[in-house]
Amino acid sequence: MSFAPVTYRAVEVDGIRTFYRETGPPGAPVVLLPHGYPSSSFQFRNLMPALGDRWRLIAPDLPGFGYTRADAGRFAYTFDAYADFLRHFVDVLGLTRYVIYLQDYGSQFGLRLAMGAPERVAALVIQNGDIYEDQHGPKYAPLKEMWADPNPQALAAVAENVSEDGFRDEFLGEVPDEIAERISPDLWTLSWAQVGRPPGPENLVRLLADQRTTVEWFPRQQAYLREHRPPTLIVWGPHDGYMPEGAARAYLRDLPDAELHLLDGGGHWLLETHLHEVVPLLRNFLDRVHHR
């Protein structure tokens, strides 16, 4: 396996200059990589060159994250707005067939993309992105309190975590200490440097508050999986306070043929700690998908 060079590009989407990373041959099968909170396309920096010899991987920075800037007057900072934006990004790049990598918030945006055009979806890769409310972990508790009653006090409590220390906690999570040592401080330092200037934190609090709307989508997303049964690989870090092991196994209710791998010691940011295990699983899966 050779490592492919990654290019760094920008395109205008809905009037917003959108940064994205790309690697792989132009005509190769596409793997779309929408990122999670509070990261950016940076989270895929190591995965992309490891797969770019045979696949075309594309990872955008969504508005307000990474190198894609957008004030609240131009972008709404809601899950609906991000889902629309990802769809428009795909259309601007002329992508008509793709595997979608679903992780964290990116799983919501990516699933809505899949639901809007099921014929374009070659397969799904699901990594710590949940759609089963009954399997939510304990770290959802303060968010759910805010969703139930988004008063100023509840918003302020959640806003305290929109900080460099809060980002650090998001990335280190609940993984064992010996695994946490593999997680680079670049993740939270860079993420905060990019979004920490006003009005960035305010925009992110607005997005966190809007997360309550995602629960309404869960039944529809589950129905999409049952109806269309896209080939699916589930790779999961079970040491995750938001999305524990049960959140991964729940997908088998609607995708009984999915391939499930629980990677021991892994957490929410599996590509930081278990890339050496994820890459061969992905290569084997993508080989099978595209041969089929």
Side-chain angles (χ1 to χ4, degrees), residues 81-102:
Y82 277 104
D84 288 343
F85 186 89
L86 182 62
R87 177 168 51 85
H88 297 161
F89 173 81
V90 164
D91 288 344
V92 168
L93 265 62
L95 308 180
T96 58
R97 185 76 170 164
Y98 34 72
V99 173
I100 313 176
Y101 191 102
L102 305 174

Side-chain angles (χ1 to χ4, degrees), residues 139-162 201 204-210 212:
K139 287 185 77 171
Y140 269 111
L143 283 171
K144 289 189 173 185
E145 290 180 12
M146 178 185 66
W147 301 344
D149 182 16
N151 60 70
Q153 185 176 358
L155 287 168
V158 171
E160 290 178 2
N161 294 312
V162 183
L204 295 190
V205 172
R206 183 180 295 111
L207 179 60
L208 288 166
D210 188 65
R212 68 184 182 277

Side-chain angles (χ1 to χ4, degrees), residues 38 42 163-165 167-168 171 184-197:
F42 184 73
S163 64
E164 186 169 351
D165 284 344
F167 282 12
R168 178 180 181 274
F171 285 112
S184 170
D186 294 336
L187 283 165
W188 58 85
T189 303
L190 177 61
S191 294
W192 182 247
Q194 291 173 322
V195 305
R197 296 186 301 274

Side-chain angles (χ1 to χ4, degrees), residues 46-58:
N46 297 320
L47 178 68
M48 296 180 74
L51 298 178
D53 58 324
R54 296 184 57 186
W55 295 277
R56 181 186 176 198
L57 293 95
I58 299 172

Side-chain angles (χ1 to χ4, degrees), residues 21-280:
R21 302 169 195 252
E22 180 171 353
T23 188
V30 172
V31 181
L32 183 65
L33 303 164
H35 63 80
Y37 171 95
S39 195
S40 64
S41 64
F42 184 73
Q43 76 179 72
F44 299 112
R45 70 198 180 283
N46 297 320
L47 178 68
M48 296 180 74
L51 298 178
D53 58 324
R54 296 184 57 186
W55 295 277
R56 181 186 176 198
L57 293 95
I58 299 172
D61 281 357
L62 299 172
F65 295 94
Y67 299 109
T68 300
R69 314 292 186 197
D71 59 38
R74 183 176 291 273
F75 188 76
Y77 290 93
T78 64
F79 279 78
D80 284 348
Y82 277 104
D84 288 343
F85 186 89
L86 182 62
R87 177 168 51 85
H88 297 161
F89 173 81
V90 164
D91 288 344
V92 168
L93 265 62
L95 308 180
T96 58
R97 185 76 170 164
Y98 34 72
V99 173
I100 313 176
Y101 191 102
L102 305 174
Q103 192 264 350
D104 194 81
Y105 280 12
S107 64
Q108 284 298 310
F109 315 143
L111 272 173
R112 295 200 203 180
L113 177 68
M115 293 165 67
E119 72 283 358
R120 294 185 175 188
V121 179
L124 301 176
V125 177
I126 305 174
Q127 188 254 298
N128 295 76
D130 60 335
I131 62 168
Y132 297 91
E133 187 178 11
D134 64 309
Q135 296 299 321
H136 277 171
K139 287 185 77 171
Y140 269 111
L143 283 171
K144 289 189 173 185
E145 290 180 12
M146 178 185 66
W147 301 344
D149 182 16
N151 60 70
Q153 185 176 358
L155 287 168
V158 171
E160 290 178 2
N161 294 312
V162 183
S163 64
E164 186 169 351
D165 284 344
F167 282 12
R168 178 180 181 274
D169 290 342
E170 292 288 338
F171 285 112
L172 292 180
E174 294 70 41
V175 296
D177 290 345
E178 65 272 16
I179 301 296
E181 291 176 349
R182 303 180 193 174
I183 300 176
S184 170
D186 294 336
L187 283 165
W188 58 85
T189 303
L190 177 61
S191 294
W192 182 247
Q194 291 173 322
V195 305
R197 296 186 301 274
E202 180 182 341
N203 292 335
L204 295 190
V205 172
R206 183 180 295 111
L207 179 60
L208 288 166
D210 188 65
Q211 190 179 352
R212 68 184 182 277
T213 64
T214 64
V215 177
E216 302 166 3
W217 279 84
F218 288 176
R220 282 178 275 179
Q221 291 163 343
Q222 295 160 17
Y224 158 78
L225 297 178
R226 287 193 302 274
E227 178 182 354
H228 293 281
R229 296 288 181 91
T232 301
L233 170 68
I234 305 170
V235 286
W236 206 275
H239 291 277
D240 186 338
Y242 292 107
M243 307 168 195
E245 178 177 332
R249 294 193 180 278
Y251 278 98
L252 300 180
R253 303 172 189 171
D254 300 307
L255 291 171
D257 298 327
E259 178 182 339
L260 170 63
H261 297 269
L262 299 167
L263 301 190
D264 185 47
H268 195 75
W269 302 95
L270 204 58
L271 297 182
E272 296 300 317
T273 61
H274 289 69
L275 184 72
H276 59 295
E277 295 183 44
V278 173
V279 167

